[in-house]
Amino acid sequence: MSRRRDKSRRGRHRPQRLLAAFLAIVLPGTVMLILPLRWLPPLTSSFMIITRIERPGDDLRYDWVGRAAISSHAAAAVLASEDQRFFEHAGFDFRSVGNAIEDYRRGERLRGGSTISQQVAKNLFLWPGRSWLRKGIEAWLTAWTELLLPKERILELHLNIAQFGPSVFGVEAASRLYFGKPAARLGRDEAALLAAVLPNPVVLSVARPSGYLRQRQAWIRTQAIRLESAGYFSPSRWH
């Protein structure tokens, strides 16, 4: 009888032990993965690795530069384009997701609700796709990215690893390829055009902008000016 009770107790405590073992491995592993990015630039990203595999003949471009070497116009344009509440949320913008769902119910096209923090976690460590598994891992990594890294560093990472063309990663490589200048000298219009391709940099082209892309560029430029005029983002905060 006592053996049965012992087995029953062990069975009840097994989920707790499994959870403790999982956290003992995954939690420090996550911290070791993300915390160094507070000071060190990533050598590559999962999306760059996938691109190398899928496009082996391409010359992949990726040039890391620090925040001081990136125009504040580029930072403002990316904020305007992708995450206008970046400095207000803790990695997840539930308000924007709710607005996107309401717009979809009214018959509009479904918009993505990923924040810049989520995109950094995905681009660095994960793979394209919409599975619940990937979204769950992304949420875990996003939470720790927000906890371990300052907001300005997250934005700096995003600008450096975001994809701006089929094999072009980072604002420095994109600026030199498309405009023949370093990212520090990007103007407002150029920065808005780069930010405009971010939803689909393989299809949308900075070198051959469509009418749709030009419209998106103009909208981003206007929104970036609005963010700066409202005091939400300023060059002094960036540099």
Side-chain angles (χ1 to χ4, degrees):
M1 184 70 69
S2 60
R3 289 182 179 178
R4 290 181 182 175
R5 283 199 296 268
D6 290 341
K7 288 181 179 179
S8 177
R9 289 197 195 98
R10 287 198 295 269
R12 287 198 300 270
H13 294 307
R14 184 174 299 165
Q16 299 173 6
R17 290 197 298 269
L18 289 174
L19 178 60
F22 173 80
L23 292 176
I25 296 171
V26 173
L27 197 153
T30 302
V31 173
M32 291 174 63
L33 193 66
I34 294 173
L35 186 58
L37 296 173
R38 191 180 182 106
W39 306 281
L40 302 175
L43 297 177
T44 187
S45 71
S46 64
F47 271 51
M48 292 182 209
I49 294 171
I50 291 169
T51 298
R52 288 187 186 277
I53 294 171
E54 294 180 345
R55 308 176 73 95
D58 284 10
D59 179 22
L60 190 142
R61 298 168 183 264
Y62 167 56
D63 298 306
W64 173 276
V65 290
R67 188 161 70 241
I70 301 175
S71 166
S72 62
H73 293 314
V78 167
L79 288 171
S81 170
E82 301 193 285
D83 194 350
Q84 295 193 15
R85 299 186 64 250
F86 174 67
F87 290 106
E88 299 172 22
H89 62 66
F92 307 95
D93 190 353
F94 299 108
R95 183 192 301 177
S96 294
V97 171
N99 291 339
I101 292 174
E102 287 300 319
D103 290 343
Y104 179 69
R105 287 174 176 171
R106 288 195 293 266
E108 298 183 20
R109 183 176 61 87
L110 183 63
R111 296 179 283 109
S114 292
T115 65
I116 285 175
S117 302
Q118 288 175 277
Q119 292 179 54
V120 166
K122 178 187 70 175
N123 293 345
L124 274 174
F125 305 118
L126 301 175
W127 63 93
R130 297 183 178 274
S131 69
W132 286 108
L133 172 64
R134 203 220 67 183
K135 294 299 290 184
I137 300 173
E138 178 188 297
W140 170 268
L141 293 172
T142 298
W144 282 98
T145 297
E146 283 277 339
L147 183 64
L148 297 173
L149 306 181
K151 283 286 191 178
E152 287 78 9
R153 180 60 172 178
I154 296 172
L155 182 55
E156 181 182 13
L157 283 164
H158 182 57
L159 284 163
N160 271 287
I161 66 170
Q163 189 173 2
F164 292 95
S167 297
V168 183
F169 291 84
V171 68
E172 176 72 8
S175 181
R176 290 189 178 276
L177 176 63
Y178 298 123
F179 305 119
K181 63 173 70 175
R185 292 172 48 204
L186 280 171
R188 196 181 294 279
D189 288 338
E190 295 160 335
L193 183 57
L194 287 177
V197 306
L198 287 177
N200 196 340
V202 175
V203 174
L204 301 173
S205 173
V206 176
R208 296 178 298 277
S210 62
Y212 163 78
L213 197 61
R214 287 298 187 188
Q215 290 178 350
R216 182 168 167 77
Q217 175 193 18
W219 181 85
I220 291 170
R221 187 183 189 280
T222 300
Q223 293 296 308
I225 293 173
R226 183 184 65 80
L227 290 177
E228 292 180 12
S229 299
Y232 183 77
F233 180 79
S234 65
S236 60
R237 180 169 191 172
W238 179 241
H239 291 139

